[in-house]
């Protein structure tokens, strides 16, 4: 039997020497900042009963949690989050303790991430929770503490982004649509998928609600966002205006204490843990491609534990900060403002020619791109833009990790790989369809046996059959998947079809269309915020040409 006694599980790692020193430095800076602000440390158990994390609302998908069993057969989970255990603690042992309670934590979290994506399944987080105080002042205190904490270990320029989840919740109250459509709208706003959002909203009757929803993901940037929001929200439900005024007040207060340069606003910030109730915020560093701080007000969470108290808090990724600190050779100095150079990852092959044509149409000198030979990294002359040529799935990986700001990739790969990024534009080329196909003259849905499906897209295939409530056996094939039914390895295939000739020439017919696909422009979450102007200009130029071409 193979023994796993020399390696660590995927998503975990040993920390050595300089890495430990770097983490310690981050930890001790944050400890000092939190303690000076009057916060007291608590440590919650490394594993807890599953029930703590599955109360009235399911805040974490159960498949993301590590589970184990106690000696009575009860399910327990390795701590996936610190805020929920602290809500439990405050509602039990600390019930009746003088308010407001100011607590901080410094502990590991365990969450399952999709494999081989360079993501850690063990995360070290430090953060604070301010409980029992619903005042405006407490929101400001927590936001400034977050900025101060990050600045104490700052290795590159910092931005704090603020939003209000109540805006989206209220719009959903007013929208007459079923819950499935609402979930899709939520998904498209949080992914800044403007095109798909518009397409969904087009199906509904035009109203001020749909008009606001359409613009919501675009409402981000500096204080000019408030003006746009005011015009858009004018005459709508009073509560929406109150939320807008609240965010404005937060912005003004942060400006008054000298943080104006740091603050950005995003009304489309809806992708936070479900327990947030109003103000939400994130912290970004220009050298890191993902948020390093995440937090918000969660006034309903403690009620789940029978202790109805307002609360606000944030968590900081100590690992990400420590790795960033190490990369910058331990320098605590603030680096220059982020440069505006853009790196675009382009899918090699099928989409390459169309993408380069589009670059040419928006004025890039594309000679070097066309004559690149075996080079994988090409600079666009006269522009602060580099193009990286990569395989489709790698485009997503590079953009997700922030080593590329933008990517051009097919929807097929996005559906199969998933990932966290903004999907901002349907480029209109690379059009094809996902289909279920089977040998001519066979009855795919007939008979009782479990069908075997060959595919290069196991996730897409599994999702498709899961939605149908149908058990199938999915077999992963790397290419020329049409061979599998000929060789009698499979009863059908799930694949992309462009002209249909490969199917035809191999005796297969379409049983069902799954969905249309085309190339998309995707953007790294942090780049979108930190390089907004240059990215916005590029999107606008591309969008104009895409419309002209259609
Ligand atoms: C894709 C797809 C089909 C074919 C469909 O394969 O998997 O096999 O193209 O195109 P058509 O409808 O125009 O005939 P691809 O060319 O990417 O090669 P691979 O299967 O070897 O990966």
């Amino acid at each position: 039997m193979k023994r796993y006694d020399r390696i660590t599980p995927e998503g975990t790692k040993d920390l050595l020497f300089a890495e430990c020193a770097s983490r310690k430095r981050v930890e001790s800076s944050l400890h000092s900042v939190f303690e000076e602000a009057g916060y007291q440390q608590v440590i919650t158990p490394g594993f807890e009963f599953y029930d703590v994390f599955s109360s009235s609302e399911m805040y974490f998908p159960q498949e993301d949690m590590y589970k184990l069993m106690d000696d009575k057969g009860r399910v327990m989970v390795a701590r996936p989050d610190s805020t929920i255990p602290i809500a439990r603690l405050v509602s039990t042992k600390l019930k009746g303790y003088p308010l407001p309670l100011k607590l901080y934590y410094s502990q590991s979290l365990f969450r399952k991430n999709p494999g081989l994506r360079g993501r850690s399944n063990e995360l070290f987080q430090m953060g604070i929770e301010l409980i029992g105080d619903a005042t405006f002042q407490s929101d400001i205190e927590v936001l400034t503490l977050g900025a101060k904490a990050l600045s104490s270990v700052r290795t590159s320029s910092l931005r704090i982004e603020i939003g209000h989840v109540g805006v989206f919740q209220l719009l959903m109250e007013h929208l007459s649509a079923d819950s499935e459509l609402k979930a899709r709208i939520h998904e498209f706003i949080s992914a800044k998928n403007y095109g798909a959002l518009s397409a969904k909203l087009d199906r509904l009757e035009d109203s001020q609600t749909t008009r606001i929803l359409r613009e919501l993901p675009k409402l981000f940037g500096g204080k000019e966002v408030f003006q746009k929001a005011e015009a858009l929200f004018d005459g709508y439900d009073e509560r929406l205006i109150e939320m807008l005024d609240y965010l404005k007040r937060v912005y003004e207060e942060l400006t008054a204490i000298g943080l104006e340069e740091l603050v950005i606003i995003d009304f489309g910030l809806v992708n936070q843990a479900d327990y947030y109730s109003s103000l939400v915020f994130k912290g970004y560093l220009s050298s890191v491609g993902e948020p390093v701080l995440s937090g918000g007000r969660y006034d309903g969470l403690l009620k789940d534990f029978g202790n109805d108290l307002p609360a606000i808090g944030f968590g900081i990724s100590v690992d990400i900060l420590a790795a960033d600190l190490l990369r910058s050779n331990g320098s605590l100095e603030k680096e220059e403002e982020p440069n505006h150079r853009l790196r675009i990852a382009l899918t090699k092959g099928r989409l390459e020619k169309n993408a380069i044509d589009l670059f040419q149409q928006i004025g890039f000198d594309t000679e070097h791109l066309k004559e690149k030979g075996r080079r994988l990294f090409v600079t666009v002359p006269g522009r602060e833009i580099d193009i990286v040529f990569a395989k489709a799935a790698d485009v997503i990986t590079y953009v997700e990790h922030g080593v590329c700001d933008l990517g051009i990739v097919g929807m097929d790969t996005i559906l199969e790989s998933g990932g966290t990024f903004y999907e901002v534009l349907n480029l209109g080329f690379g059009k094809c369809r996902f289909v279920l196909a089977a040998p001519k003259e066979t009855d795919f849905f007939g008979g009782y046996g479990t069908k075997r499906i060959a595919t290069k897209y196991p996730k897409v295939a599994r999702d498709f059959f899961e939605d149908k409530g149908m058990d199938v056996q999915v077999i992963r094939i790397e290419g020329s998947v049409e061979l599998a039914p000929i060789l009698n390895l499979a009863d059908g295939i799930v694949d992309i079809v462009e002209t249909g000739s490969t199917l035809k020439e191999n005796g297969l017919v379409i049983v069902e269309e799954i969905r249309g696909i085309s190339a998309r422009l995707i953007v790294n979450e942090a780049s979108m915020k930190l390089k907004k102007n240059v990215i916005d200009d590029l999107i606008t130029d591309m969008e104009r040409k895409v419309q002209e071409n259609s």
Side-chain angles (χ1 to χ4, degrees):
M1 196 176 80
K2 191 166 177 184
R3 283 174 57 84
Y4 297 95
D5 58 352
R6 309 272 160 120
I7 53 167
T8 64
E10 202 199 325
T12 66
K13 64 174 189 173
D14 300 312
L15 294 181
L16 301 178
F17 319 130
E19 290 169 310
C20 297
S22 184
R23 179 196 276 200
K24 209 156 127 192
R25 214 160 140 185
V26 174
E27 275 183 78
S28 75
S29 299
L30 298 186
H31 272 287
S32 313
V33 172
F34 296 161
E35 287 192 356
E36 271 168 30
Y39 285 75
Q40 300 188 76
Q41 190 174 1
V42 292
I43 299 175
T44 66
F47 49 90
E48 299 228 11
F49 287 115
Y50 174 72
D51 298 358
V52 173
F53 298 93
S54 64
S55 53
S56 53
E57 296 279 341
M58 180 57 99
Y59 299 121
F60 291 95
Q62 61 161 320
E63 55 270 29
D64 293 356
M65 294 193 259
Y66 284 95
K67 298 178 199 74
L68 51 159
M69 231 174 246
D70 74 358
D71 55 3
K72 296 192 178 71
R74 293 174 296 194
V75 181
M76 300 187 295
V77 293
R79 178 181 50 222
D81 162 89
S82 292
T83 301
I84 294 176
I86 289 178
R88 172 195 55 69
L89 173 69
V90 168
S91 309
T92 51
K93 299 193 180 62
L94 292 175
K95 201 162 187 176
Y97 201 87
L99 297 174
L101 257 170
K102 294 184 168 189
L103 307 175
Y104 82 91
Y105 57 86
S106 173
Q107 54 196 27
S108 292
L109 308 180
F110 304 89
R111 288 182 197 165
K112 283 188 206 166
N113 281 293
L116 305 177
R117 298 282 282 272
R119 298 267 171 230
S120 298
N121 291 341
E122 180 179 2
L123 317 152
F124 198 83
Q125 247 193 24
M126 288 182 70
I128 61 120
E129 312 293 350
L130 173 55
I131 292 150
D133 190 345
T135 59
F136 172 75
Q137 219 35 55
S138 67
D139 286 1
I140 299 297
E141 177 186 324
V142 169
L143 275 168
T144 45
L145 192 62
K148 194 170 170 195
L150 287 183
S151 306
S152 75
V153 281
R154 164 193 272 173
T155 54
S156 59
S157 52
L158 160 70
R159 291 286 178 280
I160 296 288
E161 174 183 56
I162 55 172
H164 197 307
V165 289
V167 169
F168 178 75
Q169 288 161 357
L170 186 65
L171 290 164
M172 284 299 109
E173 251 178 53
H174 284 269
L175 190 75
S176 43
D178 60 33
S179 58
E180 197 177 318
L181 183 56
K182 286 182 177 178
R184 301 290 284 164
I185 290 173
H186 181 274
E187 183 191 323
F188 295 144
I189 290 178
S190 90
K192 296 209 184 295
N193 188 339
Y194 310 138
L197 177 67
S198 271
K200 282 277 175 248
L201 293 170
D202 284 346
R203 292 197 203 156
L204 300 170
E205 203 180 314
D206 180 58
S207 65
Q208 194 176 1
T209 306
T210 60
R211 285 194 293 274
I212 298 175
L213 282 168
R214 216 179 279 271
E215 293 303 312
L216 209 58
K218 294 183 181 165
L219 280 180
F220 70 96
K223 62 171 182 277
E224 70 286 352
V225 167
F226 289 125
Q227 264 175 346
K228 287 188 198 157
E230 264 163 21
L232 204 60
F233 297 178
D234 189 33
Y236 202 72
D237 187 325
E238 283 278 293
R239 289 174 291 168
L240 194 65
I241 316 293
E242 280 165 21
M243 292 173 199
L244 167 65
D245 287 344
Y246 193 82
L247 263 196
K248 233 166 111 178
R249 222 176 123 206
V250 169
Y251 182 85
E252 279 158 11
E253 186 63 25
L254 294 175
T255 302
I257 51 180
L259 297 179
E260 184 179 9
E261 294 289 299
L262 303 189
V263 191
I264 45 180
I265 304 122
D266 187 358
F267 279 93
L269 201 62
V270 295
N271 55 336
Q272 299 270 11
D274 286 337
Y275 49 66
Y276 291 122
S277 53
S278 52
L279 178 71
V280 284
F281 47 94
K282 287 188 176 185
Y284 296 97
L285 296 177
S286 62
S287 51
V288 180
E290 58 189 316
V292 287
L293 176 150
S294 185
R297 180 162 278 289
Y298 51 96
D299 288 344
L301 178 64
L302 277 99
K303 200 159 67 182
D304 287 353
F305 294 92
N307 190 23
D308 195 359
L309 286 177
I312 178 168
F314 62 74
I316 292 179
S317 293
V318 172
D319 317 278
I320 298 178
L321 276 185
D324 187 46
L325 189 61
L326 200 60
R327 271 196 303 271
S328 67
N329 296 321
S331 155
L332 288 177
E333 295 304 309
K334 182 181 173 196
E335 281 175 5
E336 292 296 298
E337 278 299 297
N339 68 39
H340 295 298
R341 200 166 185 86
L342 291 182
R343 198 177 284 164
I344 308 175
L346 172 54
T347 303
K348 289 196 289 187
R350 239 172 221 275
L351 304 179
E352 197 176 313
K353 187 182 172 303
N354 282 313
I356 293 176
D357 286 349
L358 180 62
F359 289 151
Q360 190 166 5
Q361 288 173 9
I362 61 170
F364 289 13
D365 175 348
T366 52
E367 203 179 319
H368 290 73
L369 296 174
K370 290 177 183 158
E371 308 293 326
K372 72 175 179 26
R374 299 288 298 165
R375 274 181 306 153
L376 302 172
F377 188 104
V378 178
T379 293
V380 178
R383 303 256 180 167
E384 288 198 279
I385 291 180
D386 302 313
I387 310 287
V388 170
F389 291 85
K391 283 230 174 205
D394 302 339
V395 167
I396 292 186
T397 306
Y398 294 141
V399 171
E400 213 182 358
H401 284 268
V403 294
C404 291
D405 303 291
L406 299 107
I408 292 181
V409 65
M411 190 63 202
D412 51 332
T413 312
I414 294 179
L415 289 170
E416 184 61 27
S417 306
T420 310
F421 45 77
Y422 294 132
E423 185 197 320
V424 292
L425 187 59
N426 181 347
L427 295 167
F429 56 77
K431 277 191 186 151
C432 41
R433 295 161 292 157
F434 258 128
V435 302
L436 165 65
K440 223 167 26 184
E441 284 150 23
T442 57
D443 175 14
F444 179 81
F445 290 112
Y448 297 103
T450 302
K451 301 292 177 197
R452 298 161 305 160
I453 302 297
T455 185
K456 287 188 282 187
Y457 302 93
K459 180 177 178 297
V460 172
R462 218 174 289 126
D463 289 350
F464 172 68
F465 286 106
E466 250 174 46
D467 285 351
K468 284 188 169 305
M470 184 172 159
D471 276 333
V472 293
Q473 187 189 358
V474 174
I475 305 168
R476 187 195 185 106
I477 297 287
E478 291 300 325
S480 303
V481 71
E482 295 83 358
L483 260 180
I486 297 177
L487 301 177
N488 199 21
L489 177 71
D491 303 299
I493 65 170
V494 165
D495 199 15
I496 51 171
V497 169
E498 195 175 346
T499 60
S501 51
T502 316
L503 284 186
K504 202 167 165 206
E505 287 177 29
N506 291 287
L508 300 170
V509 290
I510 295 175
V511 176
E512 205 170 311
E513 303 250 351
I514 300 179
R515 60 162 292 159
I517 51 187
S518 58
R520 305 296 159 118
L521 180 68
I522 61 171
V523 186
N524 170 266
E525 210 183 327
S527 303
M528 187 83 164
K529 306 299 164 68
L530 300 172
K531 299 181 180 178
K532 181 177 189 299
N533 293 342
V534 273
I535 290 180
D536 268 356
D537 289 349
L538 190 69
I539 296 173
T540 310
D541 286 352
M542 284 188 166
E543 196 169 16
R544 194 174 309 127
K545 287 296 165 196
V546 167
Q547 273 164 9
E548 281 174 24
N549 296 342
S550 67

